[in-house]
Amino acid sequence: MSKDDVALQALFNYLREDTEACNREIVARMESPVPLIPQLGAHLVAAGGKRLRPLLTLASAYLCGYHPSPQRRRHVGLAACVEFIHTATLLHDDVVDESVLRRGAASANAVFGNKASVLVGDFLFARSFQLMTEDGSLPVMAVLSQAAATIAEGEVLQMSMQNDLATSEETYLKVIHGKTAALFAAACRVGAIIADSPSEDEKAVEDFGTHLGIAFQLVDDALDYVADEKILGKTVGDDLREGKITLPLLVAYRQAEEKDRQFWERVVNEGKWQESDLAEALRLIQKTHAVEETMRRAQSFAEKAVAALDVFPESEIKSLLSDTALYAARRAH
């Protein structure tokens, strides 16, 4: 077990009762008289996943002093809501990216087809909004509905800059803020809201989630070029094949010699990609230390996440969140 897995497992163990309740809520809410919906839902549950985003909702609530009552466990329902938003976006993303693997197993669209994946993704979005309305808090609904819109904007922005090496790092960071960090931030913020936290604490956990989300996506983008495919759960080089502009690619292009820049322009800008180009692309990524630079940036954002928690007194849950942020930026998968 890697250090990041140990950190995440420690957070899970601390929140085990609530996490298991959240998982039961997720399974129950996937029930439908339409058989394909629970079938596809069972496929998603079986595929696993870290459940990091709902863990952040649960942990942030406790960090901010939330005390659930036996009659109403708002943090569990909202954690499930966050996971539904996340899973819905994954279903849609795999269709857009024509992915065949997700977490090392066949993606839902590969098994059930694109139409089913899109429609079940819509169903999960609808379920998330049902959970929001059942909670009954307009501030919670405002945060989560805005996050859902921001995720869509991030994905559209990423699509619009596809195959364009002129993309700036500023634009790239806007993309990963939208597609990833916005939901991390929202997951944390709703925990603070239901704890009736002061605005300073709410802002602190939101900042924590934002910085952690950016670090998390930076590592994902780096691993696309270097990770073991069996561990990564997808094919190495997928981002390059799809023309996605990520930080490792931008660093490698910026530091490339002229003949190497011509290679990148042919493969990325012109889309003249051959499978034999992957080895050369990986060589150039290694030559320019693009992965190391991306991981260094991830570590910097993880440290910003930890610093955001300085407003809170020392506690076990604060330490667990800090460890999770630091190790998430160093993970190998």
Side-chain angles (χ1 to χ4, degrees), residues 60-119:
S60 295
Y62 286 121
L63 178 69
C64 293
Y66 177 69
H67 298 287
S69 68
Q71 294 77 26
R72 193 173 190 215
R73 297 167 61 80
R74 297 175 66 190
H75 61 318
V76 171
L78 290 174
C81 174
V82 166
E83 184 65 9
F84 276 136
I85 294 172
H86 173 56
T87 306
T89 63
L90 292 185
L91 284 170
H92 290 165
D93 289 351
D94 283 346
V95 171
V96 171
D97 295 341
E98 299 179 350
S99 301
V100 295
L101 286 177
R102 168 67 63 180
R103 296 166 181 158
S107 61
N109 54 302
V111 176
F112 297 94
N114 287 341
K115 293 179 181 179
S117 291
V118 169
L119 293 173

Side-chain angles (χ1 to χ4, degrees), residues 111-181:
V111 176
F112 297 94
N114 287 341
K115 293 179 181 179
S117 291
V118 169
L119 293 173
V120 174
D122 292 344
F123 173 85
L124 296 184
F125 267 128
R127 277 287 192 253
S128 74
F129 279 90
Q130 286 178 325
L131 284 161
M132 288 181 222
T133 55
E134 287 174 19
D135 180 76
S137 166
L138 283 177
V140 164
M141 183 175 288
V143 168
L144 291 175
S145 59
Q146 179 59 55
T150 301
I151 292 167
E153 289 173 341
E155 293 290 350
V156 173
L157 180 58
Q158 182 176 59
M159 184 178 65
S160 69
M161 68 185 213
Q162 197 164 310
N163 298 101
D164 184 4
L165 286 166
T167 301
S168 67
E169 287 188 16
E170 180 183 8
T171 300
Y172 163 75
L173 287 171
K174 285 181 181 178
V175 167
I176 64 174
H177 175 271
K179 65 179 282 188
T180 302

Side-chain angles (χ1 to χ4, degrees), residues 174-331:
K174 285 181 181 178
V175 167
I176 64 174
H177 175 271
K179 65 179 282 188
T180 302
L183 188 57
F184 276 71
C188 293
R189 188 176 173 189
V190 296
I193 290 173
I194 64 172
D196 294 322
S197 291
S199 58
E200 181 185 17
D201 290 359
E202 189 178 320
K203 178 67 163 57
V205 294
E206 182 181 31
D207 287 346
F208 171 82
T210 296
H211 296 315
L212 173 55
I214 293 173
F216 190 90
Q217 188 59 54
L218 283 166
V219 174
D220 260 13
D221 291 347
L223 291 178
D224 189 73
Y225 287 96
V226 296
D228 185 322
E229 291 186 8
K230 293 180 181 178
I231 297 176
L232 183 62
K234 63 177 184 177
T235 307
V236 169
D238 272 353
D239 287 349
L240 185 61
R241 293 183 186 90
E242 294 162 13
K244 287 184 180 177
I245 305 300
T246 62
L247 187 59
L249 179 57
L250 290 176
V251 170
Y253 180 67
R254 184 180 65 222
Q255 297 184 6
E257 300 171 1
E258 182 57 34
K259 63 182 179 62
D260 296 334
R261 290 173 71 91
Q262 291 174 4
F263 167 82
W264 287 122
E265 288 164 4
R266 173 179 65 79
V267 168
V268 179
N269 283 359
E270 299 173 23
K272 295 178 179 178
W273 163 266
Q274 301 172 14
E275 198 57 39
S276 59
D277 290 327
L278 179 60
E280 177 65 5
L282 296 179
R283 186 187 72 81
L284 294 178
I285 290 286
Q286 183 177 18
K287 177 182 177 181
T288 55
H289 305 288
V291 167
E292 291 86 346
E293 172 63 15
T294 302
M295 297 296 282
R296 186 189 66 77
R297 303 274 192 97
Q299 180 66 22
S300 175
F301 276 104
E303 290 169 359
K304 289 180 182 178
V306 172
L309 300 182
D310 284 347
V311 300
F312 296 100
E314 295 305 314
S315 65
E316 185 176 3
I317 191 64
K318 176 182 173 180
S319 295
L320 290 169
L321 282 168
S322 297
D323 288 346
T324 298
L326 290 173
Y327 289 128
R330 302 172 189 163
R331 72 192 195 280

Side-chain angles (χ1 to χ4, degrees), residues 1-13 320 324 327:
M1 184 179 289
S2 65
K3 287 184 177 180
D4 57 284
D5 287 335
V6 170
L8 195 58
Q9 186 63 47
L11 182 61
F12 174 85
N13 289 341
L320 290 169
T324 298
Y327 289 128

